[in-house]
Amino acid sequence: MEARVMTDLALLRVLQLASPALPIGGYAYSQGLEYAIEQAWVTDIDSAAGWLGGLLEHSAARLDIPILLRQYEALERADDGALFSWNDWLLANRETAELYLEDSQQGGALLRLLCSLGVPSAQEWPSGEPLALVTALAMAGQHWSTGAHALALGALWSWLENQVGAATKLIPLGQTDAQRLLDRILPSLPGVVETARQLSGDELGAGLPGLAFASARHEHQYTRLFRS
């Protein structure tokens, strides 16, 4: 019975971290989607699925999720050197000011929340040191013993839900089409985690010039609903 309770609590913690109610502002970012829609690169559910699927395959699977898994392991080993190194490496891979701020501002917001909840690794993080969101998620997950795999799935789901929410407002999509979009992409998330798990350190890194271009142009877009 005790093991079942611990498993249930771990699942609930993943749901807490993936919830849109988590006060880190994820709803405010579109990761270039707003500019892609303005340029008619994304116009409907099919093109939205292609855009989001590309981000999952070429960014999340090869950058964010591999680092999340490594950060969880670093915390398990109490390896501060690896924790700081991967955090800095991930932030250095953000190709525009908007993408960097999106990551570091959400990471900082989650850090403040975790400090208030008494998570030791968060409380020990040096003041003023930029923190990537996945590093903060790893701090929470390792402290609450969620397991790295479940935590990664929760992080992907949170990202996908926010992106579909942005598409719903911007394309716009109806609520039914939004659910159809989620239904189309959701089955790919376990494969993203599996790909991330198999990559060596030398294989990490995102190659998305379209995202970098969209993000850079979004910084100067005349009207904007989202911060990225």
Side-chain angles (χ1 to χ4, degrees):
M1 181 64 71
E2 183 177 349
R4 174 62 180 274
V5 170
M6 294 300 293
T7 300
D8 289 346
L9 286 175
L11 172 60
L12 291 170
R13 288 299 191 181
V14 171
L15 294 175
Q16 179 184 3
L17 291 169
S19 170
L22 194 71
I24 62 172
Y27 62 87
Y29 302 96
S30 80
Q31 294 199 332
L33 180 60
E34 185 165 23
Y35 182 80
I37 290 170
E38 181 179 89
Q39 296 299 304
W41 301 348
V42 176
T43 58
D44 55 19
I45 186 173
D46 292 326
S47 51
W51 176 269
L52 298 180
L55 293 183
L56 284 169
E57 180 180 357
H58 299 293
S59 180
R62 300 183 177 279
L63 187 62
D64 296 81
I65 299 304
I67 300 303
L68 174 59
L69 299 176
R70 283 165 170 76
Q71 295 295 62
Y72 193 103
E73 293 171 1
L75 287 158
E76 290 278 83
R77 301 191 309 268
D79 186 346
D80 289 344
L83 188 73
F84 281 89
S85 178
W86 283 120
N87 179 77
D88 292 346
W89 188 86
L90 177 57
L91 289 174
N93 273 268
R94 301 310 185 197
E95 295 180 290
T96 67
E98 277 193 349
L99 293 175
Y100 177 89
L101 288 173
E102 175 181 352
D103 196 358
S104 60
Q105 287 176 350
Q106 287 189 88
L110 183 52
L111 177 70
R112 291 189 292 273
L113 174 62
L114 297 180
C115 287
S116 72
L117 296 177
V119 176
S121 55
Q123 294 174 329
E124 295 164 3
W125 190 259
S127 177
E129 182 74 18
L131 184 70
L133 176 59
V134 298
T135 301
L137 288 171
M139 289 175 175
Q142 189 271 338
H143 176 68
W144 290 324
S145 301
T146 64
H149 183 82
L151 180 65
L153 286 173
L156 286 170
W157 167 254
S158 179
W159 174 86
L160 178 59
E161 190 174 33
N162 282 328
Q163 289 292 293
V164 170
T168 301
K169 296 180 178 72
L170 292 167
I171 292 176
L173 296 176
Q175 294 299 320
T176 298
D177 275 346
Q179 290 302 311
R180 288 174 57 212
L181 182 56
L182 286 170
D183 186 65
R184 186 182 300 189
I185 299 175
L186 186 148
S188 68
L189 300 187
V192 171
V193 179
E194 186 57 31
T195 296
R197 187 181 301 281
Q198 294 176 4
L199 296 177
S200 68
D202 292 340
E203 296 175 299
L204 302 188
L208 288 168
L211 172 62
F213 180 82
S215 176
R217 293 304 298 267
H218 183 265
E219 293 175 0
H220 303 284
Q221 198 166 320
Y222 181 68
T223 58
R224 296 182 297 177
L225 291 178
F226 292 88
R227 298 183 65 183
S228 73

